Amino acid sequence: MEEKSCGSIIYRKDENDTYLYLVILHTVSRGGHWDFPKGKVEDGESEKETALREVLEETGLSISMKNDFREEVKYSPAPNVMKTVVFFLAHPDTMRITLSEEELEDFEWLSYDEALRQLTFQNAKDLLNKANTFLNKK
């Protein structure tokens, strides 16, 4: 069985011009892990539409995406299931975060090094590395 989700690595700069990344803590019922906002593609949605919707549903943030960053992660969350997750790089249009209480417990804006330590899964750490490299080349 194939599954597809889309999400975003959300970044902003702090007062020292350092990139900060939004990481979210899923509820224990959803695995209790630190990751980036993402969710399943619904019928008729484009990848970007899914990412925009999921970020808004999970965090309350409206975001603007960088058009030249798209990364895929593939893994098997369960036997006979292959999941593809497409991530975009985005910055928030607003700063007010309202977490989905059913899905999330907490969030943090962290520097690259802090986020790297906080993220639970290696594929999320790899994504963060690609995003950070991409932003620092600009």
Side-chain angles (χ1 to χ4, degrees):
M1 186 170 91
E2 299 272 329
E3 288 183 3
K4 187 170 187 180
S5 291
C6 299
S8 288
I9 302 159
I10 303 168
Y11 71 95
R12 67 178 174 90
K13 284 190 171 182
D14 68 9
E15 60 280 352
N16 299 318
D17 222 28
T18 300
Y19 285 113
L20 298 178
Y21 298 94
L22 179 67
V23 294
I24 55 174
L25 178 61
H26 290 265
T27 60
V28 172
S29 65
R30 293 183 175 260
H33 61 281
W34 287 93
D35 205 347
F36 300 113
K38 68 178 183 303
K40 289 183 182 169
V41 175
E42 293 182 357
D43 287 343
E45 277 186 330
S46 70
E47 291 175 347
K48 287 186 176 182
E49 287 169 340
T50 299
L52 290 168
R53 177 183 53 76
E54 284 293 338
V55 168
L56 185 62
E57 286 177 5
E58 290 187 0
T59 68
L61 287 177
S62 172
I63 57 172
S64 295
M65 293 183 183
K66 291 235 172 248
N67 288 327
D68 42 356
F69 184 94
R70 180 188 179 279
E71 290 290 331
E72 278 188 19
V73 173
K74 292 182 187 267
Y75 62 96
S76 178
N80 301 316
V81 177
M82 184 50 69
K83 185 167 190 164
T84 300
V85 186
V86 176
F87 282 94
F88 299 97
L89 190 56
H91 61 86
D93 297 330
T94 58
M95 292 307 300
R96 182 169 158 71
I97 293 179
T98 307
L99 294 180
S100 164
E101 291 180 16
E102 307 85 55
E103 297 182 52
L104 304 175
E105 286 186 21
D106 201 2
F107 73 93
E108 291 190 51
W109 286 102
L110 299 173
S111 69
Y112 170 74
D113 289 336
E114 292 168 329
L116 209 53
R117 284 192 293 275
Q118 188 77 286
L119 290 165
T120 303
F121 300 116
Q122 187 60 47
N123 60 15
K125 295 176 188 212
D126 294 343
L127 277 168
L128 177 63
N129 186 42
K130 288 177 183 178
N132 193 64
T133 299
F134 178 87
L135 287 171
N136 284 298
K137 281 185 188 170
K138 295 282 175 182

